[in-house]
């Protein structure tokens, strides 16, 4: 896994920024669980940690790596803009699964406030996650 993060204009790997990654995950999870979920709030967190793009989903790290993305998908305040923004900075989050094999689209489909546009965005981001 790799977290492209700038501190002095250089990219760091996850091993170099493991504590930053854990702090980032914790803050993102807490925010995505909250009734305050907003694109502006996500932008503030991403800018605070100077995240460029967080990529790399190793099979052994699949569970809980992107729990914040699952929580955003089931949050009553989720919008297309929020999902699009998260996918921009965390593109591998769409391929993450939980302990039971649930994907972000499963979470979104269980949210009564989710719109068809959100579902369509999730499908377009990972069409192979939808099977007939």
């Amino acid at each position: 896994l790799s977290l492209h993060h700038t501190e002095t204009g250089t990219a760091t790997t996850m091993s170099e920024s493991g504590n930053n990654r854990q702090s980032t995950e914790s803050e993102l999870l807490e925010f995505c669980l909250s009734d305050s979920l907003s694109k502006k709030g996500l932008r503030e967190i991403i800018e605070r940690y100077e995240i460029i793009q967080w990529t790399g989903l190793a099979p052994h790290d699949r569970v809980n790596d992107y729990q914040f993305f699952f929580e955003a998908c089931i949050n009553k305040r989720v919008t297309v803009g929020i999902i699009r923004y998260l996918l921009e900075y965390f593109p591998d989050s769409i391929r993450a699964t939980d302990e039971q094999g649930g994907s972000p689209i499963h979470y979104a489909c269980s949210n009564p406030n989710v719109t068809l546009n959100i579902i369509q965005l999730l499908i377009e981001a990972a069409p192979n996650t939808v099977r007939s």
Side-chain angles (χ1 to χ4, degrees):
L1 284 179
S2 168
L3 171 59
H4 300 280
H5 182 277
T6 61
E7 292 193 28
T8 55
T10 61
T12 60
T13 64
M14 192 194 78
S15 60
E16 294 170 326
S17 61
N19 289 336
N20 283 339
R21 181 182 173 124
Q22 189 173 20
S23 296
T24 306
E25 284 178 328
S26 296
E27 190 168 349
L28 283 167
L29 178 59
E30 184 177 326
F31 189 67
C32 289
L33 283 165
S34 76
D35 288 335
S36 303
L37 179 64
S38 67
K39 186 175 172 183
K40 180 182 178 194
L42 288 170
R43 184 179 305 115
E44 289 171 4
I45 294 169
I46 287 168
E47 287 175 358
R48 182 169 39 260
Y49 289 97
E50 300 176 335
I51 296 169
I52 296 170
Q53 191 177 69
W54 190 340
T55 60
L57 186 64
H60 63 281
D61 290 327
R62 292 169 56 121
V63 176
N64 296 326
D65 253 10
Y66 294 103
Q67 186 63 38
F68 63 87
F69 191 72
F70 296 135
E71 297 302 335
C73 288
I74 60 172
N75 189 302
K76 66 183 178 184
R77 296 180 52 91
V78 71
T79 64
V80 169
I82 288 170
I83 296 298
R84 186 173 283 125
Y85 195 71
L86 286 171
L87 287 171
E88 179 182 341
Y89 286 93
F90 309 99
D92 290 337
S93 63
I94 192 66
R95 294 182 296 126
T97 57
D98 66 12
E99 293 88 355
Q100 288 80 37
S103 68
I105 197 161
H106 291 115
Y107 281 75
C109 286
S110 69
N111 181 347
N113 298 313
V114 81
T115 65
L116 183 56
N117 290 337
I118 293 171
I119 298 299
Q120 185 175 6
L121 176 61
L122 293 170
I123 291 170
E124 288 171 0
N128 59 346
T129 62
V130 182
R131 299 187 253 284
S132 56

